[in-house]
Amino acid sequence: MERQAMDPERFVERLPQLCIGARMRGFPQGLDDLDVFLQSVASEIPREPVLSERWVNAAILRWLEDVGLHVEIDHVNIRRRLVDYGYLSRTRDGKRYALTDKVVDVPDSRAVIARALEERAARRAAAEAEGRTGSRSASGTTPGGA
């Protein structure tokens, strides 16, 4: 089965909302958001023919640390969801894993999150600056009553 590309604009829009918005204590409810989430996690896992559970766990933990900044889902539950939804295959004994063709190329998750954090910081700085100048111009005086 040929892999289809995910809409990069949607991925770039939704990933920050999922990973650095409000705390995420459960998986996204919508299938589109769940796909963005799981594709991002799966992109962290190397495309090797066979991976140990330890390798997969380490990759998911790196993703949680670097991308899923506000995601409060255990790495084991994420790994299970990757298997349940067909992003990872697992041997019967649960010791070996491999990515499936369901995993598609997505924009670099770390870069997407870094850009979103920079934009968020710039918006906050602009809002703070506007708040300082806005309150000054609204009263017609400078702070201190001059």
Side-chain angles (χ1 to χ4, degrees):
M1 181 175 168
E2 186 176 319
R3 293 184 292 150
Q4 295 179 346
M6 172 176 279
D7 177 14
E9 290 177 14
R10 173 146 177 76
F11 185 86
V12 168
E13 174 191 339
R14 294 301 300 152
L15 186 65
Q17 294 172 359
L18 295 169
C19 295
I20 61 173
R23 294 274 174 211
M24 179 189 276
R25 292 182 174 89
F27 289 97
Q29 295 301 307
L31 288 179
D32 286 345
D33 283 349
L34 183 61
D35 188 41
V36 167
F37 180 85
L38 294 175
Q39 291 287 355
S40 177
V41 176
S43 73
E44 184 71 25
I45 299 168
R47 280 203 176 272
E48 299 291 328
V50 178
L51 295 164
S52 70
E53 182 177 290
R54 186 177 188 176
W55 239 108
V56 172
N57 285 342
I60 296 169
L61 288 168
R62 271 192 313 276
W63 183 89
L64 284 166
E65 187 175 302
D66 297 343
V67 178
L69 303 175
H70 292 170
V71 175
E72 295 179 358
I73 305 171
D74 180 79
H75 71 282
V76 173
N77 287 322
I78 293 173
R79 187 189 70 232
R80 288 179 185 143
R81 192 63 57 107
L82 286 165
V83 171
D84 291 346
Y85 281 81
Y87 296 84
L88 275 178
S89 63
R90 176 177 56 201
T91 57
R92 282 190 154 275
D93 63 6
K95 293 184 180 182
R96 301 282 178 231
Y97 294 80
L99 289 175
T100 69
D101 285 342
K102 188 169 184 174
V103 178
V104 298
D105 293 327
V106 294
D108 178 40
S109 296
R110 284 177 178 75
V112 169
I113 294 300
R115 191 173 321 115
L117 289 171
E118 289 171 6
E119 290 171 0
R120 179 185 279 189
R123 282 193 306 271
R124 282 187 180 149
E128 288 175 8
E130 178 64 29
R132 287 192 296 269
T133 60
S135 63
R136 184 175 181 182
S137 63
S139 66
T141 62
T142 58

